[in-house]
Amino acid sequence: GESVGLHLPTLSVQEGDNSIINCAYSNSASDYFIWYKQESGKGPQFIIDIRSNMDKRQGQRVTVLLNKTVKHLSLQIAATQPGDSAVYFCAETTMNRDDKIIFGKGTRLHILP
Amino acid sequence: DTGVSQNPRHKITKRGQNVTFRCDPISEHNRLYWYRQTLGQGPEFLTYFQNEAQLEKSRLLSDRFSAERPKGSFSTLEIQRTEQGDSAMYLCASSLLGGGTDTQYFGPGTRLTVL
């Protein structure tokens, strides 16, 4: 079936370094992609999104890259901080249709002191 | 705080009992979604509403599950005759159709434990 997957279940990064979290998606019809951050005991928190007509979008300390040719999505976090420790999910959907989000399994980002 | 609230935050029940959860979306949002999340997994879509109309239900939503959004504002999710396999985090999200993006904002979830 269609799914969104992540390459690594856990990523450990030194505080202050940049983090890169990767994601592969399989549904060619998906045209809207979102990264969510989920801290323990909380619901997913929107970080950044990107539409399929773009290949890069920047936010505050975060950048999302979209490569539609290989169906790959990545989240870059600059100058990783202890507060960035969480599970990160990439998710895909099709805008203006059913809009249900398909989530991947998540990558746990662990910040080393 | 995203503006989406869910109650209760935790629910412990015995197998066979009925439970009901409530979600209050962001006030101007016309779409409301329910997801279920088990440990170590991403959320899985259950159902969604546009205003008061329930437009889609996942195969995950067995006959024991029912969701309502009677006035197009808050929503309830009821599970009848709970089973241990129903233990999970139940997440609600809302979005604004026609608002320019499909960003869904999630509530904190209701964690259900079925003994």
Side-chain angles (χ1 to χ4, degrees):
Chain A
E2 295 152 348
S3 64
V4 178
L6 293 165
H7 296 305
L8 290 174
T10 303
L11 177 66
S12 295
V13 176
Q14 207 76 35
E15 182 179 348
D17 286 353
N18 297 337
S19 301
I20 300 176
I21 301 173
N22 295 305
C23 174
Y25 67 94
S26 59
N27 186 358
S28 300
S30 295
D31 55 11
Y32 180 60
F33 305 88
I34 314 109
W35 281 98
Y36 284 94
K37 172 187 180 182
Q38 189 172 27
E39 296 174 285
S40 181
K42 297 184 179 180
Q45 176 190 356
F46 171 87
I47 301 174
I48 192 168
D49 58 2
I50 189 167
R51 300 187 186 191
S52 59
N53 61 353
M54 303 171 68
D55 53 21
K56 181 179 180 179
R57 190 163 188 223
Q58 287 185 293
Q60 191 173 24
R61 279 204 309 120
V62 293
T63 301
V64 55
L65 299 177
L66 174 63
N67 185 333
K68 294 182 290 295
T69 303
V70 295
K71 296 179 188 172
H72 184 268
L73 198 65
S74 69
L75 176 70
Q76 300 177 4
I77 305 173
T80 311
Q81 303 169 358
D84 295 328
S85 290
V87 177
Y88 289 82
F89 293 97
C90 67
E92 61 178 315
T93 188
T94 50
M95 289 182 65
N96 300 320
R97 295 180 192 173
D98 54 31
D99 293 329
K100 64 184 178 188
I101 292 178
I102 300 172
F103 284 83
K105 289 186 171 57
T107 293
R108 180 173 295 282
L109 181 61
H110 180 58
I111 311 304
L112 302 170
Chain B
D1 183 5
T2 62
V4 179
S5 61
Q6 293 187 246
N7 287 288
R9 294 292 309 276
H10 304 274
K11 178 71 177 177
I12 300 174
T13 190
K14 292 183 179 179
R15 190 177 52 184
Q17 299 294 304
N18 299 343
V19 295
T20 300
F21 310 140
R22 176 178 171 127
C23 171
D24 287 89
I26 295 171
S27 60
E28 64 269 23
H29 282 186
N30 47 21
R31 283 197 166 178
L32 186 151
Y33 305 79
W34 285 99
Y35 292 82
R36 181 173 71 186
Q37 185 177 26
T38 53
L39 204 60
Q41 302 294 316
E44 296 174 290
F45 170 81
L46 291 178
T47 188
Y48 88 103
F49 294 83
Q50 183 168 311
N51 300 312
E52 64 275 6
Q54 189 173 14
L55 296 188
E56 186 172 347
K57 294 194 288 186
S58 162
R59 292 182 307 233
L60 295 174
L61 216 63
S62 75
D63 292 344
R64 297 184 295 105
F65 288 69
S66 61
E68 295 182 343
R69 195 183 184 199
K71 298 181 180 178
S73 56
F74 73 92
S75 175
T76 58
L77 177 68
E78 181 183 17
I79 308 175
Q80 297 182 325
R81 305 180 303 280
T82 52
E83 302 172 356
Q84 289 184 324
D86 297 330
S87 295
M89 174 81 87
Y90 290 85
L91 293 160
C92 173
S94 70
S95 69
L96 179 62
L97 178 66
T101 72
D102 286 324
T103 303
Q104 293 183 22
Y105 295 91
F106 283 80
T110 294
R111 181 167 294 285
L112 173 66
T113 302
V114 181
L115 302 176

